[in-house]
Every structure is written in C-alpha cells, then in structure tokens.
Amino acid sequence: IAPASSEDGAMIHALHKAQQQARSKRDRWVGLWQECYDYALPQRDSFYGFDHAGQKRSDHLYDGTAMDSVDQLAASLLAELTPPWSQWFGFKPGFALSKDEAETIAPKLENTAQIMQTHFDRSNFATEIHQCFLDLVTAGTACLYFDRAATGAMTAFRFEAVPLSQVAIEQSENGSMDITYRYRKISAGQIQNDFVQAELPQELVAKALKSPDTVFEVIEVVQPEGLAYRKICYLPQFVDKGGEAAILCSQLLQSSPYIHFRWQKSPGEI
C-alpha cells in the first residue's frame, strides 16, 4: 500500500485510538452479557470469538424458563410493534398544511406508505428485527443494519441484526447513540471483492493469492460529520506499520445505516 498522507495518517490513528477506547468501555460489559446469553439465548454469537455453529449450547441448562421468557417477550414485541404482513406505520399530512392541501396529499401519502410496507414485507426485515428483539430482551441493547438491496431485487431494503459482539456504540455530542464501531473478520479474497478500488497492502494481496480464506479484521466506523455521516473502513493490523494507514473506504452518507435501541441508559452514561 502506498504511504498515506500525513493528514490521512493522523486521522486514521485518531480514529483507531477512539475505537480502542470505545471497545475498552464495551468490554467491561462483555462478561455479564455473555452470561446472559449463555442462559437465555445460548445459540447467539459468542463475545469471545468462539465458533459454536452446529454445537449444542444448552447442555448446561436444567431449566428453560429464561429461554422461554426471552422468546415470548421478543415475539410479543414483534407482534405489537412491527407485526409481519400488517401495516404498522403510516404517513399523514403535517399541521403546517391547510385543510385543502392536506386532503389533496393524504391519498398520495397513504399510497406511499403501502408501497414502503410492501418493500418491508418482501425483505428480510421480520427475521432480522425479531433477532434484534431477542438481543434487546437478553442484553438490553440491539443493533439493526439498514441498507438498500441489490439492484433488481424484489425489495429495495436489506437488513441485518448485528450481534453485540461485533459492535461498540458511542454517543455523539448531541447525546444520540450514533457513533458505531463494527468489528468483522473477513477473508482476504472477500476483501478484494468488496473493496475493489482500495489500494490493498501487499501482505494481504499475497495471502489472498496464496490462501483466499486467510482472515483479516476489518473495522467499520460510522460517525456524524456535520448533518451527514462519514463511513470509514480500515485494516487495524496495518495502521502502525511504517505510518501507513490501510483505509479500505471513506464515503459520506446522508444517514447512518445503523439503528441502535435499548431499554435504558447504563450507569454513568450522559
């Protein structure tokens, strides 16, 4: 990778330090969260990076009360807040419009709401929001990723319930939970496919050619920038190597693709 400019280098080092601080604060909760998942939602991703796919995770449990309670409450939230195949939201004219203007625009807003509902119904929203409700009930916090679907898909939306093991969340200056650090393990081959325009480190390229399944950690940061949001993806393994910053992408977004929600604020938060 070509040496980054001094400005880019300073930016990525500051960003890397900020995510380390956020991750450190999150890690204080990991032990408690993992215990909650072990007893209430044992099949969810481990905070310690263990791959439990296909393994029995409830052999140590002798009572299913916690698991049943979590499942029932999550199902109730789904049925009450976002019932599948039912219109759970709508649009109506605002108070600033006159009566005639409101009557004119109301049918168009209703039609728009129905179109949007159709896209929600055809997407994977119901499955992913249900997983978010399971996380919310178990750990008190949930994260939903909301993005546009691929061109030509039968829906305009794509969702993902992001495991809490993959994210650290910070509040911005306005008090909103809109600073997101996401940690993912991605193969070298997939990085080449996903970040075609990036100047990848030669070490990564060599490993991709030799063994495409070699895994690297990628950190994705989304944070406010003025009235928009800046998304930056980088390889933390290469931040401190010779002052080079392995930035995979940097783009300005109109809104954050991450939606966070929780039961209540944790002690010590603003």
Side-chain angles (χ1 to χ4, degrees):
I1 184 172
S5 68
S6 58
E7 183 178 348
D8 287 341
M11 180 273 293
I12 204 66
H13 277 83
L15 199 63
H16 190 56
K17 183 178 181 180
Q19 70 82 19
Q20 287 178 321
Q21 294 174 343
R23 197 170 190 172
S24 178
K25 287 193 289 185
R26 187 211 67 170
D27 286 348
R28 288 181 289 179
W29 294 90
V30 163
L32 177 60
W33 278 342
Q34 186 61 63
E35 189 173 0
C36 291
Y37 279 101
D38 286 343
Y39 286 94
L41 200 63
Q43 297 301 332
R44 194 58 163 142
D45 295 17
S46 169
F47 282 90
Y48 301 113
F50 303 130
D51 185 2
H52 297 307
Q55 300 180 18
K56 293 183 178 179
R57 296 278 294 137
S58 56
D59 289 351
H60 65 291
L61 302 178
Y62 297 95
D63 184 278
T65 302
M67 290 188 292
D68 291 342
S69 298
V70 166
D71 189 56
Q72 290 177 19
L73 181 51
S76 296
L77 289 172
L78 180 68
E80 292 293 332
L81 299 178
T82 59
W85 300 101
S86 299
Q87 187 148 353
W88 46 271
F89 66 88
F91 303 135
K92 66 178 183 179
F95 296 108
L97 298 180
S98 67
K99 182 178 180 180
D100 291 340
E101 290 173 330
E103 290 178 351
T104 300
I105 199 173
K108 297 179 181 179
L109 292 177
E110 178 61 27
N111 183 56
T112 301
Q114 291 177 359
I115 292 173
M116 287 191 63
Q117 183 67 53
T118 299
H119 283 284
F120 273 99
D121 292 338
R122 290 178 176 177
S123 72
N124 61 340
F125 175 76
T127 301
E128 299 302 313
I129 194 63
H130 179 244
Q131 181 62 62
C132 282
F133 288 147
L134 289 169
D135 286 332
L136 181 66
V137 173
T138 304
T141 302
C143 176
L144 180 68
Y145 183 81
F146 182 16
D147 197 8
R148 66 181 63 183
T151 303
M154 60 187 293
T155 174
F157 305 144
R158 181 176 68 87
F159 299 90
E160 181 185 357
V162 181
L164 293 183
S165 59
Q166 292 186 11
V167 293
I169 306 166
E170 286 278 78
Q171 290 185 350
S172 60
E173 295 180 354
N174 63 9
S176 299
M177 297 198 317
D178 52 7
I179 301 177
T180 305
Y181 303 99
R182 184 174 182 182
Y183 312 97
R184 291 187 289 170
K185 301 288 186 179
I186 305 179
S187 68
Q190 190 64 45
I191 290 175
Q192 284 188 310
N193 292 332
D194 291 351
F195 303 98
V196 178
Q197 298 180 350
E199 293 186 42
L200 301 177
Q202 291 303 313
E203 179 182 336
L204 186 150
V205 174
K207 288 186 177 181
L209 292 173
K210 184 177 180 180
S211 178
D213 293 333
T214 302
V215 173
F216 289 84
E217 182 178 40
V218 174
I219 297 180
E220 178 180 315
V221 183
V222 177
Q223 59 184 8
E225 185 173 306
L227 298 178
Y229 286 82
R230 173 68 63 179
K231 174 183 175 181
I232 298 174
C233 299
Y234 71 96
L235 294 158
Q237 302 94 319
F238 300 97
V239 168
D240 296 319
K241 291 190 176 182
E244 297 176 349
I247 301 176
L248 297 175
C249 75
S250 178
Q251 59 185 125
L252 201 62
L253 308 174
Q254 290 184 339
S255 60
S256 173
Y258 292 98
I259 302 172
H260 308 295
F261 47 101
R262 58 190 177 183
W263 284 123
Q264 61 182 12
K265 287 187 177 181
S266 301
E269 290 184 334
I270 299 175

